Amino acid sequence: VQLTLSAQSLKNTSRMRLGAADPYAVVSYTGGKFDRQEIGRTETLENTLNPMWTTILFVDIDPAVYMPFRVSIFDDNVNRQQHTLMAEATFEMTSVCQSPGNTQTQETLIGNGNITVNVEKSIQGSSRGKLVFQMRGLNVKNVESGVWGLGRSDPFYEISKKNADHEKGIVRWSPVYRSEKIDNNLNPFFNEHMMSLEELCYCDLDWPLRISIFDWERSGKHKLIGQIDTTVNELSSRVSKNGNADRENAFEMYKEGSDTRRGLIVVLKAEVKLD
């Protein structure tokens, strides 16, 4: 299965007056023959008390086996020799799998806030391999006024995949990739990236994906500029054919509930490499 993590309303352990903590999570077994063995850890997210990590942890499970595990969240402060424990909670793998939406939220045993764990079947399609992709924004709406109204947005984008429990009416978009930010640019070129189809879309090229462009904020409260819903197959069919500003094949970007276009997303590359 694939295990993803988020947390809400964590206690701020940063010593910076105007900053928040830089949290990362470590997941470890508790009890049994794997007691204290680390399952994996997430990336560090800067300056946030409500992290949604993109790291996916892969876990082999047996529903007949009791598999308790602990999620520990630390503040990754490079100026301290030992990272500060911010929060901790315990879960059991089968219990999470049987919860609505395969998702469970626990109050932290240490610190403040909640920790949320989501578990999904890792392979739900037949296309094993990788996707090499590159995006750019075009005429992205400026949502950053800055000093004297001269500021420009600092865009980055996220790719999320849809997880749904239709019986319970639960829909969850789980971020699986987060790009670098481009400072002061309304027509940003983002770096090329490659990731496995298992991580990106459960090996199903028609699995629903969402690409969202945000304006980066130092406070960690990034502003959504606009988004599109798509699939790997559609991305492949919309690759630019007329240079890096191909408006004909580009996606129009909107905010939910609004008919006002917020810019374009141009697919510069979307190459599926099957195993």
Side-chain angles (χ1 to χ4, degrees), residues 47-265:
N47 207 34
T48 180
L49 302 178
N50 298 283
M52 292 186 68
W53 293 284
T54 61
T55 300
I56 295 171
L57 304 181
F58 292 92
V59 186
D60 292 326
I61 68 168
D62 181 347
V65 177
Y66 183 68
M67 296 179 64
F69 63 96
R70 177 186 298 113
V71 179
S72 304
I73 299 176
F74 296 89
D75 181 5
D76 186 0
N77 190 312
V78 296
N79 297 320
R80 298 182 221 169
Q81 291 184 342
Q82 186 172 0
H83 296 167
T84 304
L85 178 62
M86 298 177 64
E88 200 166 68
T90 57
F91 299 83
E92 198 282 315
M93 196 69 70
T94 303
S95 176
V96 175
C97 292
Q98 294 175 347
S99 298
N102 305 323
T103 301
Q104 205 172 87
T105 298
Q106 300 279 11
E107 291 186 8
T108 59
L109 302 174
I110 297 173
N112 298 334
N114 301 308
I115 298 175
T116 298
V117 171
N118 174 251
V119 174
E120 299 289 342
K121 183 180 177 182
S122 192
I123 297 176
Q124 303 189 42
S126 58
S127 300
R128 300 196 183 208
K130 296 178 174 61
L131 179 71
V132 181
F133 58 91
Q134 186 178 17
M135 311 288 175
R136 76 160 299 189
L138 196 61
N139 301 130
V140 173
K141 182 176 176 60
N142 186 26
V143 297
E144 183 65 61
S145 58
V147 179
W148 308 111
L150 300 177
R152 291 290 182 271
S153 296
D154 306 317
F156 69 94
Y157 76 92
E158 288 182 355
I159 301 178
S160 302
K161 60 187 176 187
K162 185 177 183 179
N163 294 313
D165 183 338
H166 297 292
E167 290 185 0
K168 302 294 183 180
I170 297 172
V171 175
R172 175 185 175 87
W173 290 93
S174 301
V176 295
Y177 174 74
R178 186 174 290 118
S179 77
E180 76 284 7
K181 72 177 175 75
I182 309 293
D183 291 333
N184 300 313
N185 198 319
L186 303 181
N187 297 285
F189 282 84
F190 299 103
N191 291 335
E192 183 178 300
H193 187 73
M194 179 172 67
M195 66 185 302
S196 77
L197 294 173
E198 187 174 356
E199 292 177 297
L200 178 63
C201 58
Y202 304 118
C203 298
D204 182 346
L205 301 184
D206 290 314
W207 196 271
L209 302 176
R210 175 169 288 174
I211 301 178
S212 307
I213 293 186
F214 294 87
D215 176 29
W216 183 89
E217 295 290 335
R218 188 177 299 276
S219 66
K221 298 178 180 179
H222 310 305
K223 299 176 185 175
L224 175 65
I225 298 175
Q227 62 194 24
I228 65 168
D229 290 348
T230 186
T231 66
V232 171
N233 272 333
E234 187 179 25
L235 289 174
S236 299
S237 72
R238 299 282 287 269
V239 172
S240 173
K241 297 179 176 62
N242 299 304
N244 59 41
D246 184 353
R247 297 172 183 271
E248 183 177 348
N249 287 293
F251 289 91
E252 294 186 344
M253 182 171 58
Y254 296 89
K255 282 185 74 173
E256 191 171 353
S258 172
D259 294 329
T260 303
R261 194 172 76 178
R262 311 277 287 186
L264 301 173
I265 295 178

Side-chain angles (χ1 to χ4, degrees), residues 12 14-20 47 218-219:
N12 189 10
S14 173
R15 295 180 182 178
M16 302 292 291
R17 287 185 178 181
L18 300 178
N47 207 34
R218 188 177 299 276
S219 66

